Amino acid sequence: SSTRILIKGGTVVNAHHQQLADVYVENGIIVAVQPNIKVGDEVTVLDATGKFVMPGGIDPHTHLAMEFMGTETIDDFFSGQAAALAGGTTMHIDFVIPVNGNLVAGFEAYENKSRESCMDYGFHMAITKWDEGVSKDMEILVKEKGINSFKFFLAYKGSLMVTDDLLLEGLKRCKSLGALAMVHAENGDAVFEGQKRMIELGITGPEGHALSRPPVLEGEATARAIRLARFVNTPLYVVHVMSVDAMDEIAKARKSGQKVIGEPVVSGLILDDHWLWDPDFTIASKYVMSPPIRPVGHGKALQDALSTGILQLVGTDHCTFNSTQKALGLDDFRKIPNGVNGLEERMHLIWDTMVGSGQISATDYVRITSTECARIFNIYPRKGAILAGSDADIIILNPNSSYEISSKSHHSRSDTNVYEGRRGKGKVEVTIAGGRIVWENEELKVVPGSGKYIEMPPFSYLFDGIEKSDANYLSSLRAPVKRVRTEAT
Ligand code: DUC
Ligand code: ZN
Ligand code: ZN
Ligand code: ZN
């Protein structure tokens, strides 16, 4: 925890460019990026020769300290963030769940939950009902509280799910505020039907989870949300894209010029659904998340879509429950708390799977794990870049160093890990967050309360060219008619 750090001799990677350079940090800010920086003895020097120096990861999708499905996630802000830092992620954006539908009350509850944060964080807000108060609160959150994104669940019938009329109101409101609408895209009515059918067939185990909500329901909801966003003419962000069905809809919309962002998550990119058929409930249940992890083939297709730019950034949907909590659904898969880990593993697994295999370059890696997220949520180049003036959130990754993932050594509070036993190459050896060395020599040195709430302003680049008023829209229509009525003859 030094206030002055020099990172010497590494390959500095940004989303558009990489170069051999030193990086000098003072008081939490990157001050210089250039070759051969000379400093005095008081400066902590880190040798990065042969290693990559990159912006810390930004995870756009986490659930920490969330009350959900009759329990609460085992990782709170502190443990989840400690795990993140050990894995090279230096900022995350968490989803605020309203309190009895009240947004500002929900925001205040999450302010309390996140008070002891040890890394920077931001918030998205979920919308679960619609009335004047919600509409008013959205404005307060955007204008005063630093929130520029709102999430609509098209699944979870009976609790979080919104119907199309509410989604339309929400999309219009988002557009007028310059906020980004996000969707969890599964058809909740059909999922409910599918679950009933499984139980009637006597399929009560974790495999019933996958069988009850197949890719076609994700494709339908994704297509519907995209079309409604086009009708309103506002950008749309599809969270946890898990299937080819959903990805194809995003590809088609983007090709037509619509502003649609697709976020795959690590579990969907790397795992497949065979685990849900494991005879051991403890193993099978840890893979239960929604939308479900899909059959072999979907993951690779999503990886390809990331490499070609059809999908733009990688999240985790980190939402952890330990094996006792998962056992709430021992006799009924509908009661297994949905969620998997990934906050600590994301940077490692994406490097190994996509850069290590030669699918993408180091610059692409930085873009999909950090820079694009910062751009979308309008905090670039403060975040997502190694540039003079940016926050000193930096990782040093050794491409030749190996690791093995295990719940025995991870930093999450969960007693399981969906990547248990997985080995990989390319290890984050140092994490610097807010100018502090917080991860070095396999050791965490986190400081409760040192993390800052990052306000995210509205009208990101996604709104370029989108008119707030209907004036242009009207003039773009075929002219309406001044009509007369004659007598029938
Ligand atoms: N899916 C999960 O698996 N957990 C949290 C919420 C969600 O949509
Ligand atoms: Zn979701
Ligand atoms: Zn498999
Ligand atoms: Zn989620």
Side-chain angles (χ1 to χ4, degrees):
S1 58
S2 164
T3 55
R4 295 177 187 192
I5 305 165
L6 178 67
I7 306 167
K8 271 204 89 63
T11 300
V12 175
V13 188
N14 279 302
H16 296 292
H17 180 66
Q18 70 180 59
Q19 68 187 121
L20 276 172
D22 300 344
V23 179
Y24 180 58
V25 168
E26 218 176 83
N27 299 323
I29 303 291
I30 296 169
V31 173
V33 183
Q34 62 192 66
N36 299 315
I37 299 173
K38 301 272 181 282
V39 292
D41 294 342
E42 74 288 359
V43 175
T44 304
V45 178
L46 301 171
D47 181 13
T49 308
K51 302 173 186 177
F52 292 98
V53 179
M54 302 185 279
I58 309 176
D59 189 336
H61 191 152
T62 64
H63 302 278
L64 301 180
M66 178 175 68
E67 287 167 41
F68 189 55
M69 296 183 74
T71 182
E72 186 173 336
T73 59
I74 190 87
D75 279 320
D76 59 17
F77 276 75
F78 191 74
S79 70
Q81 292 173 342
L85 291 169
T89 287
T90 52
M91 177 174 172
H92 70 112
I93 313 179
D94 206 84
F95 289 90
V96 174
I97 308 295
V99 174
N100 300 322
N102 186 308
L103 309 192
V104 170
F107 179 82
E108 284 165 359
Y110 272 72
E111 274 186 315
N112 283 324
K113 291 176 200 256
S114 58
R115 203 138 271 159
E116 293 296 277
S117 282
C118 56
M119 74 188 223
D120 290 358
Y121 61 98
F123 288 138
H124 314 287
M125 172 62 68
I127 305 288
T128 54
K129 65 167 198 181
W130 193 258
D131 58 29
E132 277 306 304
V134 169
S135 178
K136 187 81 204 115
D137 277 4
M138 284 176 73
E139 183 170 16
I140 293 172
L141 291 170
V142 171
K143 294 193 173 157
E144 297 168 27
K145 304 292 186 189
I147 285 186
N148 69 2
S149 50
F150 295 92
K151 179 183 184 184
F152 302 85
F153 288 88
L154 307 187
Y156 297 110
K157 181 175 179 167
S159 57
L160 302 170
M161 185 175 104
V162 304
T163 46
D164 288 352
D165 52 348
L166 195 158
L167 177 60
L168 275 168
E169 291 298 340
L171 288 168
K172 286 191 290 184
R173 191 67 174 136
C174 280
K175 180 184 181 181
S176 73
L177 293 168
L180 182 57
M182 311 174 89
V183 282
H184 172 131
E186 286 185 286
N187 185 312
D189 287 312
V191 167
F192 188 76
E193 204 47 43
Q195 290 176 328
K196 243 180 26 197
R197 193 193 296 170
M198 286 308 128
I199 297 297
E200 280 163 16
L201 291 170
I203 304 170
T204 58
E207 69 276 27
H209 178 73
L211 295 170
S212 66
R213 45 205 307 159
V216 64
L217 301 188
E218 190 187 345
E220 186 279 331
T222 305
R224 178 161 39 101
I226 286 173
R227 281 159 178 74
L228 294 181
R230 185 173 64 196
F231 177 63
V232 173
N233 188 24
T234 197
L236 183 73
Y237 181 112
V238 183
V239 305
H240 49 44
V241 176
M242 296 294 278
S243 63
V244 170
D245 306 55
M247 184 266 285
D248 281 348
E249 296 298 337
I250 293 166
K252 199 164 60 175
R254 287 179 62 86
K255 210 165 162 204
S256 80
Q258 197 181 336
K259 290 176 180 175
V260 179
I261 299 290
E263 170 213 82
V265 292
V266 180
S267 51
L269 290 164
I270 287 181
L271 300 171
D272 66 68
D273 69 349
H274 84 269
W275 295 103
L276 292 160
W277 273 259
D278 196 287
D280 181 343
F281 178 85
T282 302
I283 291 178
S285 63
K286 69 180 175 174
Y287 295 92
V288 169
M289 68 170 288
S290 292
I293 293 165
R294 304 302 187 184
V296 176
H298 287 270
K300 184 61 176 76
L302 296 174
Q303 288 179 30
D304 291 345
L306 251 184
S307 349
T308 55
I310 291 169
L311 303 174
Q312 292 72 46
L313 74 168
V314 182
T316 60
D317 204 2
H318 184 89
C319 182
T320 46
F321 301 100
N322 66 20
S323 53
T324 334
Q325 294 173 297
K326 289 278 185 178
L328 288 168
L330 194 53
D331 303 317
D332 183 343
F333 67 83
R334 295 173 298 182
K335 297 182 179 146
I336 301 170
N338 289 193
V340 301
N341 64 287
L343 196 40
E344 183 165 359
E345 295 81 10
R346 182 181 70 123
M347 297 296 278
H348 283 136
L349 289 176
I350 297 300
W351 179 273
D352 189 43
T353 307
M354 302 209 50
V355 186
S357 67
Q359 288 187 75
I360 61 170
S361 63
T363 49
D364 285 338
Y365 172 79
V366 167
R367 177 172 53 77
I368 67 175
T369 59
S370 183
T371 312
E372 192 56 33
C373 183
R375 290 183 66 227
I376 291 167
F377 296 103
N378 224 1
I379 50 174
Y380 181 85
R382 176 181 180 188
K383 299 291 187 188
I386 308 269
L387 294 171
S390 298
D391 283 359
D393 296 340
I394 303 168
I395 61 173
I396 303 177
L397 183 142
N398 182 346
N400 299 312
S401 172
S402 305
Y403 56 84
E404 179 174 340
I405 296 170
S406 172
S407 62
K408 307 273 183 303
S409 52
H410 73 197
H411 297 80
S412 159
R413 286 200 188 117
S414 178
D415 59 354
T416 65
N417 190 311
V418 293
Y419 305 105
E420 187 68 37
R422 185 177 282 262
R423 293 158 190 274
K425 223 172 145 190
K427 196 169 171 1
V428 175
E429 292 184 335
V430 178
T431 304
I432 297 170
R436 280 196 182 85
I437 299 172
V438 292
W439 171 250
E440 192 184 19
N441 304 319
E442 303 283 308
E443 226 183 296
L444 269 173
K445 286 175 226 153
V446 297
V447 183
S450 60
K452 292 184 294 292
Y453 175 62
I454 304 297
E455 295 200 12
M456 300 184 286
F459 298 106
S460 75
Y461 80 92
L462 292 168
F463 285 83
D464 291 353
I466 289 183
E467 294 283 339
K468 255 201 288 183
S469 87
D470 274 342
N472 262 25
Y473 176 66
L474 276 178
S475 66
S476 75
L477 297 177
R478 183 174 170 184
V481 174
K482 214 182 195 91
R483 191 161 275 105
V484 295
R485 185 173 181 222
T486 61
E487 290 296 316
T489 50

